[in-house]
Amino acid sequence: QVQVVESGGGLVQPGGSLRLSCKVSGFSLDYYPIGWFRQAPGKEREIVSCITNNDLATFYPTAVQGRFTASRDAAKNTVYLQMNSLSPEDTAIYYCATDRRRWYCGNEYEYWGQGTQVTVSS
């Protein structure tokens, strides 16, 4: 069975940093896109980043570009989201997702993790 498990969330002060991890089991992550998403209370889910197979292309929305960086460790079948210069507006549950049906980024993903809470507060 395919499993997607996020970790690394927690409480951080404004201006601080966190690195989230997403470990995938059940298939090789090398050939498929990885999306990071977040959802704050009362708000719609929004994309944070996406990387294509073998990191050939990346995407970041304006809200996080320059602060967030996604990367992939193929040997560990794990992707990371490095988050710097965090602000209270970044507080949300963060999810990672992947899809075996394509190599490129998209709006629909086949597998989702359970999410990890990130809270930015003094």
Side-chain angles (χ1 to χ4, degrees):
Q1 294 288 337
V2 173
Q3 288 187 298
V4 181
V5 181
E6 303 99 332
S7 62
L11 176 65
V12 63
Q13 295 184 1
S17 299
L18 284 175
R19 189 177 76 158
L20 306 183
S21 299
C22 177
K23 185 172 180 61
V24 178
S25 60
F27 68 95
S28 176
L29 204 58
D30 297 356
Y31 311 108
Y32 311 106
I34 305 297
W36 283 96
F37 299 83
R38 67 185 182 186
Q39 187 166 23
K43 298 183 178 180
E44 295 183 355
R45 185 179 63 200
E46 63 176 336
I47 192 167
V48 174
S49 74
C50 184
I51 55 176
T52 64
N53 66 305
N54 297 318
D55 301 340
L56 295 177
T58 60
F59 167 79
Y60 304 95
T62 302
V64 307
Q65 66 182 8
R67 300 188 298 118
F68 290 11
T69 303
S71 61
R72 186 191 323 241
D73 187 334
K76 297 181 179 180
N77 224 40
T78 300
V79 296
Y80 304 95
L81 183 67
Q82 179 67 44
M83 306 185 296
N84 299 324
S85 301
L86 289 165
S87 68
E89 289 71 30
D90 297 314
T91 296
I93 300 176
Y94 284 71
Y95 303 88
C96 68
T98 188
D99 199 311
R100 297 181 296 178
R101 299 171 295 186
R102 64 182 189 272
W103 62 267
Y104 51 88
C105 296
N107 295 322
E108 297 182 358
Y109 289 85
E110 189 176 11
Y111 299 103
W112 292 79
Q114 81 288 347
T116 185
Q117 177 71 48
V118 173
T119 302
V120 185
S121 176
S122 298

